[in-house]
């Protein structure tokens, strides 16, 4: 069109514009889209319909017709294309706005034509690719006395193309015919073969919606849809995606950033078909590359409302919710889309959601992704779904590194493979890709594994209230531990009357009442210099794995914004029946809710007043800790422990021995020994009793001697039982009772007497050595546990008279020597007491030669320690 023709047409249009003021009434106009007039079609160079997926058609044709335009003209047009149709603004040069305004746009910037009809006039005008307005991907414009611009935008919700023109000149536009060139160089004379338009790569139809509204005040938008036939030949589209991974810190057991590159080779020629787009991608990170709890500290969630998924609003996520960056490269643009990766709040079925946002002028991309943690292995995957349907050459996700990185490298060196599973939009077969990462540096094989444990108490007064602290530490690069056991020093014992244990059902869920709390615990987990710290409580509980009692560590595993729930660490609590020592055993989980727990520090503080008591022996003792690694190695360490103040403890036990007829066997004698130790004194360590000369023991009367191996397993038969033992201790509410057995000695000699007593969750095994000569017996109970046995009694039954275990000699009551019973007692603090008792045997005062049952003279002394 010449300049003169444009002026004349402008004059005509001005007259039409003035006339329109008379023709357009203020009443309802009836403005409408003519039904069936909205059409979309794509043609090849011969003008035939072309719907081959991923191809570049010669032209795309858009037609529409409006009714009642003489009453009120159209004000706005909007053309929405369903996702999949791709436009490339860089297919032609850009016409500067100043040149467009004076009608001097170069011909090689032409991308289509606009043909219109109004008032009996028909005009066909070139559409130019002009300098875009800010915020637009591209601006297409034509000029018919007035300037009309079509802004090209990409919708963030679905990445479909939208063309918008606003505030048209108020003229009775009736029909429009729009042609957009697939390869503009085939029409504008430039010969450039860069495609401007690419068909979808899935086999659905190309849908098109035309929206418009009139100039009538408050007029709503009206719309009509059209669609092409379904795309053809999708499954033959090329699809060659690949995965690249790169860690920022290749040192083992260290926080690291991670680069994830999804690559897709694109064909950009005019006659070539584009690769089908990646619809979904799942990236399985290399095994051992796990989440680092330390990376969650100091983070914030980005709320759904702040991200605005599917909305054209700016992202308003908090700075601390950003965990990385994203870059998308496409041949359709001369610049990359760039943005950020954010941590979102947990949603049902999504433990670690991610938000991805990237933009370039006129293009905004928002998507939801997910970081998936395998609950059993801790292995991680990144899932991306419903990626945009436009040509993408590379999507790069870079997760931040540094000491607060979300990820940590594997423990060991070497190559580890990452895998990706790509699902195409074309419906063809998915494609898998693998790529290695290399973890290097100093990596001994096997990994080092040690036991850096410390333990102790701030309260070290013998026999008094105790507290106890245990700290286990692991260094970066060391093998993980799976089980930890601690044996407390002899005499450090619990008072089970102070706390009622938490029922096992409540303990399993971490809901123990505060009344069962006995201490606190804290763990540090993660790799690198800033492990995450989590605090918890320790409760006395019912037993685990067959133990009569247990302890339960309960943590609310909340690290930064992540709340993984309640972590329960069950601890078995057993008393060694021989030494009375407390043995604590607890597993160390390596994974919880898919998060790898690389324990760096575990500290347990038991401080409940009155729960623990110190020993009454001031001998040097040890805390023994053993740790079992994931690969089965055991590391043991011994920590010195010693209390003080044993000299302040008294030792004044009382002892009695009696012969009576109250035995298990009717009308047969029963011999009983009883000792009692007042509270607050040193506990009993050793007891030696020489039986009265008037009692004669007969080994031949023993029905059975329990084999020592069976006795060690507590499997003695009933025939080896010769009596009963009973003890009372202020540490449990029940009496400790059990049988007395005759046990085979270790190195020959006289059979030993063992008593196995239990009650209230406590089991003790008291062993004695015996010696005899000419029927006279001496027995000595050695290494009695450093526990407060307030009262202890052992009763030995003689059995039937015809085959009695012991017999009473004639004239027992007539001789004081026949009743004399020497007794030696030693306390845990080294003090001893020696007495010579007159056995109570029911003798009269006259026959006994003195006071009935009178004790002999005795003395106390400080023995060697």
């Amino acid at each position: 069109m010449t300049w003169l023709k444009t002026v004349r047409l402008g004059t005509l249009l001005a007259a039409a514009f003035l006339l329109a003021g008379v023709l357009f009434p203020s009443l309802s106009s009836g403005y409408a889209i003519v039904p069936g007039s909205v059409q979309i079609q794509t043609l090849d160079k011969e003008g035939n319909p072309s719907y081959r997926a991923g191809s570049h058609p010669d032209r795309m044709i858009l037609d529409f017709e409006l009714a009642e335009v003489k009453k009120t003209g159209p004000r706005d047009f909007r053309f929405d294309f369903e996702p999949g149709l791709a436009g490339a603004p860089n297919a032609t040069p850009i016409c500067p706005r100043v040149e467009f305004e004076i009608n001097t746009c170069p011909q090689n910037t032409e991308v289509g034509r606009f043909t219109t009809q109004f008032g009996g006039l028909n005009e066909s005008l070139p559409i130019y690719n002009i300098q875009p307005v800010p915020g637009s991907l591209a601006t297409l414009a034509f000029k018919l006395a007035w300037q009309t611009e079509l802004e090209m935008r990409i919708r963030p919700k679905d990445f479909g193309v939208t063309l918008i023109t606003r505030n048209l000149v108020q003229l009775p536009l009736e029909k429009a015919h729009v042609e957009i060139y697939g390869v503009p160089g085939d029409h504008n004379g430039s010969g450039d073969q860069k495609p401007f338009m690419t068909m979808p790569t899935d086999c659905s139809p190309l849908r098109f919606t035309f929206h418009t509204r009139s100039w009538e005040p408050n007029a709503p938008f009206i719309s009509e849809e059209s669609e092409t036939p379904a795309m053809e030949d999708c499954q033959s589209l090329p699809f060659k995606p690949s995965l690249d991974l790169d860690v920022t810190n290749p040192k083992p057991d260290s926080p690291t950033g991670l680069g994830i590159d999804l690559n897709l080779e694109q064909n950009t020629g005019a006659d070539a078909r584009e690769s089908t787009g990646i619809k979904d991608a799942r990236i399985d990170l290399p095994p051992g590359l796990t989440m680092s709890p330390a990376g969650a500290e100091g983070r914030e969630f980005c709320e759904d409302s702040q991200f605005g998924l599917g909305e054209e609003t700016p992202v308003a996520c908090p700075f601390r919710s950003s965990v990385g960056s994203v870059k998308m490269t496409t041949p359709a643009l001369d610049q990359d889309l760039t943005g950020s990766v954010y941590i979102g709040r947990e949603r049902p079925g999504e433990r670690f959601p991610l938000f991805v946002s990237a933009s370039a002028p006129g293009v905004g991309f928002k998507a939801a992704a997910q970081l998936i943690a395998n609950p059993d292995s801790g292995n991680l995957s990144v899932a991306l779904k419903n990626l945009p349907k436009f040509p993408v050459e590379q999507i790069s996700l870079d997760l931040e590194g540094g000491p607060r990185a979300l990820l940590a490298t594997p423990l060991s060196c070497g190559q580890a493979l990452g895998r990706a599973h790509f699902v195409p939009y074309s419906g063809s077969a998915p494609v898998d890709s693998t790529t290695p990462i290399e973890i290097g540096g100093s990596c001994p094989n096997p990994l080092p594994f040690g036991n850096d444990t410390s333990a102790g108490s701030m309260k070290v007064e013998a026999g008094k209230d105790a507290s106890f602290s245990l700290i286990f530490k692991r260094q970066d690069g060391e093998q993980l531990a799976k089980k930890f056991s601690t044996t407390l020093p002899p005499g450090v014992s619990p008072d089970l009357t102070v706390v009622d244990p938490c029922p096992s059902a409540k303990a399993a869920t971490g809901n123990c009442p505060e009344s069962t709390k006995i201490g606190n615990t804290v763990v540090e987990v993660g790799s690198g210099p800033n492990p995450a710290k989590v605090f918890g409580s320790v409760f006395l509980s019912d037993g685990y794995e067959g133990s009569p009692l247990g302890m339960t560590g309960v943590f609310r595993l909340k690290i930064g914004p992540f709340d993984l729930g309640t972590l329960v660490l069950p601890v078995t609590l057993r008393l060694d029946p021989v030494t009375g020592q407390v043995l604590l055993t607890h597993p160390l989980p390596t994974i919880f809710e898919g998060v790898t727990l690389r324990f760096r520090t575990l500290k347990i503080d038991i401080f409940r007043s009155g729960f623990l008591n110190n020993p009454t022996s001031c001998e040097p003792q040890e805390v023994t800790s053993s740790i079992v690694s994931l690969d089965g190695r055991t590391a043991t360490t011994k920590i010195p422990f010693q209390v003080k103040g044993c000299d302040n403890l008294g030792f004044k036990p009382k002892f009695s021995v009696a012969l009576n007829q109250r035995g298990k066997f009717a009308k047969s004698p029963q011999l009983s020994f009883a000792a009692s130790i007042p509270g607050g004194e040193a506990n009993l360590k050793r007891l030696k009793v020489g039986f009265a000369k008037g009692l004669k023991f007969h080994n031949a009367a023993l029905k059975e001697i329990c084999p020592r191996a069976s006795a060690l397993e507590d499997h003695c038969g009933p025939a080896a039982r010769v009596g009963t033992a009973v003890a009372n201790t202020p540490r449990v509410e029940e009496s400790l009772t059990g049988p007395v057995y005759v046990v085979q000695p270790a190195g020959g000699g006289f059979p030993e007497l063992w008593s196995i007593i239990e009650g209230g969750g406590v089991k003790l095994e008291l062993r004695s050595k015996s010696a005899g000569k000419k029927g006279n017996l001496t027995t000595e109970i050695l290494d009695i546990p450093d526990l407060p046995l307030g009262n202890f009694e052992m009763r030995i039954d003689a059995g039937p008279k015809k085959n009695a275990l012991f017999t009473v000699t004639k004239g027992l009551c007539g001789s004081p020597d026949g009743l004399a019973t020497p007794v030696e007692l030693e306390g845990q603090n080294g003090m001893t007491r020696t007495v010579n008792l007159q056995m109570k045997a029911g003798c009269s005062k006259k026959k006994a030669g003195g006071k009935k049952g009178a004790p002999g003279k005795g003395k106390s002394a400080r023995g060697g320690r």
Side-chain angles (χ1 to χ4, degrees):
M1 180 186 295
T2 65
W3 178 81
L4 181 59
K5 183 177 180 181
T6 301
V7 171
R8 289 176 178 171
L9 184 58
T11 303
L12 180 61
L13 291 175
F17 180 79
L18 293 173
L19 182 60
V22 177
L23 294 177
F24 298 163
S26 59
L27 299 176
S28 177
S29 63
Y31 180 81
I33 301 171
V34 175
S37 66
V38 175
Q39 297 290 329
I40 179 173
Q41 52 183 323
T42 54
L43 308 176
D44 61 17
K45 292 181 180 180
E46 287 72 36
N48 299 315
S50 175
Y51 303 110
R52 199 176 187 204
S55 66
H56 313 291
D58 182 67
R59 289 164 292 159
M60 181 174 67
I61 308 298
L62 303 175
D63 289 296
F64 61 89
E65 184 175 353
L66 302 174
E68 302 293 338
V69 295
K70 293 183 179 180
K71 295 181 179 179
T72 176
R75 177 176 180 173
D76 300 322
F77 292 152
R78 188 172 81 238
F79 307 90
D80 286 337
F81 299 91
E82 287 296 303
L85 180 70
N90 59 3
T92 70
I94 302 297
C95 175
R97 284 183 169 271
V98 64
E99 295 188 19
F100 176 71
E101 289 171 0
I102 61 173
N103 299 320
T104 58
C105 279
Q107 188 174 351
N108 63 358
T109 65
E110 183 181 335
V111 295
R113 297 195 71 83
F114 178 80
T115 302
T116 184
Q117 176 180 326
F118 60 93
L121 298 176
N122 287 283
E123 190 68 26
S124 180
L125 307 167
I127 301 173
Y128 295 101
N129 187 10
I130 72 169
Q131 182 180 351
V133 298
S136 293
L137 174 64
T139 298
L140 309 183
F142 56 89
K143 206 168 192 180
L144 178 63
W146 68 90
Q147 183 170 313
T148 300
E149 298 182 7
L150 294 167
E151 296 177 21
M152 180 185 291
R153 296 179 179 270
I154 301 294
R155 300 188 297 276
K157 182 176 182 179
D158 58 12
F159 236 75
V161 174
T162 290
L163 297 174
I164 303 173
T165 183
R166 302 181 182 87
N167 298 324
L168 292 164
V169 174
Q170 195 168 351
L171 289 174
L173 183 69
E174 298 172 0
K175 291 183 179 181
H177 176 85
V178 181
E179 292 188 12
I180 304 295
Y181 303 143
V183 182
D186 289 341
H187 296 268
N188 61 23
S190 68
D192 191 345
Q193 291 298 290
K194 191 167 186 179
F196 179 71
M197 187 171 49
T198 303
M199 298 291 275
T201 61
D202 64 345
C203 279
S204 61
L206 174 59
R207 294 180 178 86
F208 163 69
T209 305
F210 171 60
H211 309 266
T212 183
R213 66 174 176 174
S214 70
W215 274 101
E216 185 178 7
N218 302 317
F221 272 98
I222 57 176
S223 61
E224 185 168 323
E225 294 183 356
S226 178
E227 64 178 39
T228 68
M231 296 295 109
E232 301 170 348
D233 200 18
C234 298
Q235 296 199 358
S236 67
L237 288 170
F239 185 59
K240 297 179 181 179
S242 64
L243 171 70
D244 286 324
L245 295 175
D246 181 44
V247 291
T248 62
N249 182 6
K251 182 181 177 182
D253 196 14
S254 301
T256 184
L258 178 68
I260 305 173
D261 291 337
L262 310 182
N263 308 298
L264 183 62
E265 182 180 332
Q266 293 290 351
N267 300 318
T268 57
D271 296 326
R273 300 171 71 199
E274 293 280 1
S275 295
T276 183
I278 301 173
K279 180 182 180 182
D280 302 324
R282 180 184 173 109
I283 302 96
D284 296 328
L285 302 186
L289 188 65
T290 62
M291 287 193 71
S292 176
E297 287 199 329
R299 302 282 185 187
E300 294 181 47
F301 283 140
C302 179
E303 305 292 349
D304 291 5
S305 59
Q306 294 171 320
F307 185 73
L309 184 64
E311 301 173 3
E312 297 189 24
T313 55
V315 173
C317 294
F319 173 77
R320 290 184 177 180
S321 67
S322 174
V323 295
S325 61
V326 60
K327 182 178 72 173
M328 302 175 69
T329 302
T330 169
L333 300 175
D334 291 329
Q335 59 182 316
D336 297 328
L337 285 74
T338 58
S340 297
V341 181
Y342 304 95
I343 286 284
R345 184 176 294 278
E346 180 181 2
R347 296 187 287 268
E350 292 185 67
R351 170 65 81 181
F352 305 112
L354 298 175
F355 290 132
V356 180
S357 173
S359 63
V363 185
F365 168 64
K366 294 180 180 180
Q370 187 181 2
L371 187 62
I372 302 170
N374 185 296
D376 298 320
S377 66
N379 292 339
L380 297 177
S381 300
V382 178
L384 301 169
K385 293 186 179 257
N386 298 316
L387 290 169
K389 292 182 180 180
F390 79 110
V392 174
E393 292 177 327
Q394 186 178 71
I395 300 175
S396 297
L397 300 175
D398 288 314
L399 300 180
E400 295 173 358
R404 294 292 187 188
L406 274 182
L407 303 179
T409 53
L411 293 177
S412 57
C413 288
Q415 193 177 88
L417 284 180
R419 303 177 183 275
H421 183 74
F422 298 100
V423 177
Y425 268 108
S426 63
S428 54
V431 171
D432 293 330
S433 175
T434 61
T435 187
I437 61 169
E438 196 74 32
I439 304 300
S442 177
C443 290
N445 188 15
L447 292 175
F449 180 70
N451 188 336
D452 184 4
T453 303
S454 59
S457 174
M458 296 297 292
K459 300 178 180 180
V460 292
E461 191 69 23
K464 302 297 183 181
D465 188 30
S467 62
F468 195 80
S469 295
L470 178 73
I471 303 174
F472 156 69
K473 294 183 178 180
R474 170 189 163 271
Q475 303 300 320
D476 275 340
E478 291 186 339
Q479 180 60 277
L480 300 178
K482 69 177 180 180
K483 188 169 71 172
F484 189 99
S485 62
T486 304
T487 303
L488 301 187
V492 178
S493 56
D495 188 338
L496 302 180
T497 66
V498 172
V499 185
D500 290 328
C502 174
S504 56
K506 290 188 174 182
T509 59
N511 291 315
C512 289
E514 192 69 14
S515 62
T516 65
K517 182 176 177 178
I518 58 174
N520 287 332
T521 181
V522 61
V523 296
E524 291 180 323
V525 292
S527 302
N530 299 307
K533 185 175 291 187
V534 182
F535 297 90
S537 298
V538 181
F539 303 90
L540 183 69
S541 60
D542 291 338
Y544 299 98
E545 299 179 352
S547 66
L549 290 170
M551 296 195 308
T552 301
V554 178
F555 303 87
R556 189 65 182 182
L557 211 61
K558 191 175 187 305
I559 305 174
F562 294 110
D563 190 346
L564 303 180
T566 299
L567 172 64
V568 177
L569 291 183
V571 182
T572 61
L573 189 157
R574 291 184 172 90
L575 263 67
D576 186 290
V578 177
T579 67
Q581 289 175 270
V582 174
L583 174 63
L584 305 175
T585 304
H586 45 96
L588 293 178
T590 55
I591 299 169
F592 182 72
E593 292 292 318
V595 176
T596 299
L597 301 178
R598 296 179 181 178
F599 280 89
R600 295 286 299 280
T601 301
L602 169 63
K603 182 179 181 183
I604 299 175
D605 289 318
I606 307 299
F607 54 74
R608 175 75 176 257
S609 178
F611 177 69
L612 282 183
N613 295 269
N614 275 327
T616 61
S617 169
C618 289
E619 293 289 334
Q621 307 285 2
E622 293 175 330
V623 180
T624 303
S625 76
S626 295
I627 304 174
V628 180
S629 69
L630 283 180
D631 53 11
R633 289 176 287 164
T634 300
T636 301
T637 187
K638 296 181 182 297
I639 303 106
F641 178 89
Q642 189 173 17
V643 297
K644 62 183 181 179
C646 291
D647 291 342
N648 300 327
L649 298 174
F651 184 64
K652 298 179 180 179
K654 296 180 180 180
F655 190 83
S656 66
V657 58
L659 183 66
N660 53 55
Q661 300 294 322
R662 301 187 308 270
K664 174 182 177 183
F665 306 101
K667 297 182 180 181
S668 63
Q670 182 187 73
L671 185 64
S672 66
F673 321 99
S676 63
I677 306 209
E681 295 190 355
N683 298 323
L684 185 64
K685 179 179 181 180
R686 183 178 63 87
L687 170 63
K688 183 177 180 179
V689 180
F691 294 108
K693 293 181 180 180
L695 294 179
K696 298 298 182 180
F697 280 80
H698 310 286
N699 289 343
L702 295 173
K703 294 181 179 180
E704 180 181 305
I705 297 177
C706 181
R708 193 174 190 85
S710 298
L712 291 172
E713 297 293 331
D714 191 13
H715 289 158
C716 289
R721 179 173 179 170
V722 296
T724 301
V726 180
N728 291 290
T729 171
R731 302 291 169 83
V732 295
E733 294 182 354
E734 299 179 24
S735 296
L736 281 63
T737 62
V740 178
Y741 294 108
V742 180
V743 177
Q744 182 184 28
F750 204 86
E752 299 175 357
L753 294 177
W754 288 19
S755 58
I756 301 171
I757 55 177
E758 58 185 315
V762 174
K763 182 178 182 179
L764 295 179
E765 189 174 297
L766 304 177
R767 302 177 183 179
S768 68
K769 293 184 178 297
S770 301
K773 187 177 181 180
K774 295 182 179 181
N776 294 323
L777 180 67
T778 298
T779 187
E780 185 176 15
I781 304 176
L782 302 169
D783 300 322
I784 299 173
D786 192 355
L787 297 172
L789 299 177
N791 295 287
F792 172 71
E793 182 179 5
M794 181 183 289
R795 299 189 290 266
I796 306 298
D797 297 313
K801 288 184 177 181
K802 291 183 178 181
N803 192 22
L805 180 62
F806 60 86
T807 58
V808 179
T809 61
K810 186 176 181 180
L812 171 69
C813 293
S815 170
D817 290 342
L819 296 173
T821 304
V823 178
E824 295 179 14
L825 302 100
E826 181 182 356
Q828 295 284 348
N829 63 348
M831 293 185 69
T832 60
R833 181 170 175 80
T834 302
V835 295
N836 193 25
L837 298 174
Q838 290 293 98
M839 180 176 63
K840 298 177 181 180
C843 298
S844 65
K845 294 181 180 179
K846 183 177 180 180
K847 289 184 177 182
K851 185 178 180 180
K852 180 182 178 181
K857 294 181 180 180
K859 62 179 180 179
S860 294
R862 172 69 64 185
R865 287 183 294 163

